[in-house]
Amino acid sequence: YPRGDQLKNHVNPRTYQYLCRVLAQSKLPQELIATYRPWFLAFMLDDPSSDAFSSQLGVESFLASRAQAKNKSMTGLESTMEHIRVFSGLNDQESEACLLLSFIELEGSDAASSRTMAAWRRGDAEGVWRSMQERYRDFPSMAERLLTVRNRTWIPKIEGYIHSGKTYFVVVGAAHFGGPNGVLALLRQR
């Protein structure tokens, strides 16, 4: 938040109290989070030991390093800022809901995470998509922002790659492939 504004001015007092208890258990000082927006704290809670937008881990980083080693050019379906706007564009209530979902996941979504990972390992795009829909069951506008809107934005770029006469390798998160508004379904429709 800008200087002079704080998180506690934008969330329900009970949410703020709960966040303070979570921080106390983590031995993190309350001042650390005073100026962060709730959606950013949700990233921190997912992995408090890492930078919220770390590019060091994951499939994308692995493939990027391979492409670089083979002198392959790379481009993104969206810029880093476009990706961040998915979250930074949330209003106060949506941002708080994002944080509250993180609290729920901290409290024991091991079974849900296991189902999602099992679907991912099987290459079951529909299963991964269903897991995301379940995760955002009470916050469908977030699933819309994270998946559907972005998928629709990417389709013209992907079609351009298809019609370019060149070979492209498109990498997106597994949840983007499944469902009626997934990348594969949208490409089939067109």
Side-chain angles (χ1 to χ4, degrees), residues 36-121:
Y36 290 139
R37 293 181 188 270
W39 64 265
F40 188 79
L41 293 172
F43 279 106
M44 290 176 67
L45 288 173
D46 278 345
D47 185 1
S49 67
S50 73
D51 176 355
F53 292 100
S54 175
S55 61
Q56 302 303 310
L57 303 173
V59 173
E60 184 178 352
S61 179
F62 170 78
L63 292 171
S65 66
R66 295 280 306 268
Q68 187 176 21
K70 294 183 180 262
N71 294 319
K72 301 285 185 181
S73 63
M74 294 183 304
T75 186
L77 291 172
E78 64 189 7
S79 69
T80 302
M81 286 311 299
E82 287 169 324
H83 180 70
I84 290 172
R85 271 189 232 116
V86 170
F87 300 95
S88 66
L90 297 171
N91 65 35
D92 283 349
Q93 291 148 329
E94 292 168 331
S95 189
E96 183 174 358
C98 193
L99 178 60
L100 292 171
L101 277 172
S102 290
F103 290 155
I104 292 167
E105 290 170 5
L106 284 175
E107 290 296 321
S109 67
D110 288 341
S113 291
S114 293
R115 282 193 304 275
T116 303
M117 287 305 296
W120 180 79
R121 284 186 181 106

Side-chain angles (χ1 to χ4, degrees), residues 134-186:
E134 178 61 26
R135 177 180 182 192
Y136 292 107
R137 174 186 68 239
D138 297 323
F139 192 8
S141 64
M142 190 64 196
E144 178 82 8
R145 287 178 80 93
L146 278 172
L147 300 174
T148 304
V149 170
R150 292 167 71 211
N151 292 348
R152 290 187 186 284
T153 301
W154 297 341
I155 292 301
K157 274 191 172 180
I158 295 171
E159 285 181 323
Y161 301 153
I162 291 169
H163 298 299
S164 72
K166 298 178 183 176
T167 301
Y168 284 86
F169 184 72
V170 177
V171 179
V172 299
H176 289 281
F177 286 111
N181 293 303
V183 169
L184 298 176
L186 293 174

Side-chain angles (χ1 to χ4, degrees), residues 121-140:
R121 284 186 181 106
R122 287 191 311 272
D124 179 3
E126 294 299 320
V128 175
W129 176 80
R130 280 191 303 276
S131 291
M132 285 294 285
Q133 297 306 302
E134 178 61 26
R135 177 180 182 192
Y136 292 107
R137 174 186 68 239
D138 297 323
F139 192 8

